[in-house]
Amino acid sequence: MTDGDRRPFTSADWVRKFGAYCTPPAMLTERRPALDQMRLYAERGRYSESLRGPLRAAGKAWLILVAAPALVVARTFEWLLERPARFAVTVVVVKLLSTLPPVGWLVDHVIKPGADVALWLFL
């Protein structure tokens, strides 16, 4: 929702606008916003009347703590999976690195327990 959106006045208008707001984008035809556009939305988007206050601060905190890190991880995976050669090189490098003792320790003591906790928490 941007500053140009008309505010709905009836319940049906509210429901229709809320449904449009919650509908996921057409992934094959729409580009996703860049991090800078997401920052501008957190600073000036119309989810709050005021450009200051607790709701605006929560939106900015969400961007910094959740949305931006998730975006970086997701777009990194997207970049890796765009080209088969890029993915193959990554798999080979990760496999070669996994033979080094410090990396094996890291996988066994940090990554695997973290993944187990995340799976237990979210599934």
Side-chain angles (χ1 to χ4, degrees):
M1 292 189 207
T2 62
D3 291 334
D5 289 341
R6 181 182 69 80
R7 292 188 151 255
F9 293 104
T10 66
S11 296
D13 288 342
W14 276 106
V15 170
R16 194 171 19 256
K17 191 159 196 155
F18 183 76
Y21 182 74
C22 292
T23 303
M27 294 289 198
L28 299 177
T29 59
E30 271 187 36
R31 289 181 176 258
R32 299 301 303 146
L35 190 56
D36 194 44
Q37 291 172 320
M38 293 173 69
R39 182 188 54 81
L40 287 174
Y41 181 75
E43 291 175 358
R44 302 211 175 268
R46 283 203 42 206
Y47 59 86
S48 171
E49 290 296 317
S50 171
L51 294 180
R52 291 182 178 81
L55 190 59
R56 185 65 60 182
K60 289 179 184 178
W62 178 264
L63 174 71
I64 292 168
L65 298 174
V66 178
L71 177 73
V72 169
V73 169
R75 299 237 171 119
T76 300
F77 277 111
E78 177 187 20
W79 178 79
L80 285 174
L81 296 173
E82 278 180 350
R83 308 283 186 271
R86 189 181 295 158
F87 180 72
V89 168
T90 303
V91 168
V92 169
V93 168
V94 168
K95 182 59 180 167
L96 290 175
L97 286 175
S98 70
T99 61
L100 298 174
V103 177
W105 181 90
L106 183 71
V107 168
D108 289 341
H109 293 88
V110 177
I111 296 173
K112 187 178 181 309
D116 289 342
V117 168
L119 290 172
W120 176 80
L121 184 65
F122 295 113
L123 298 177

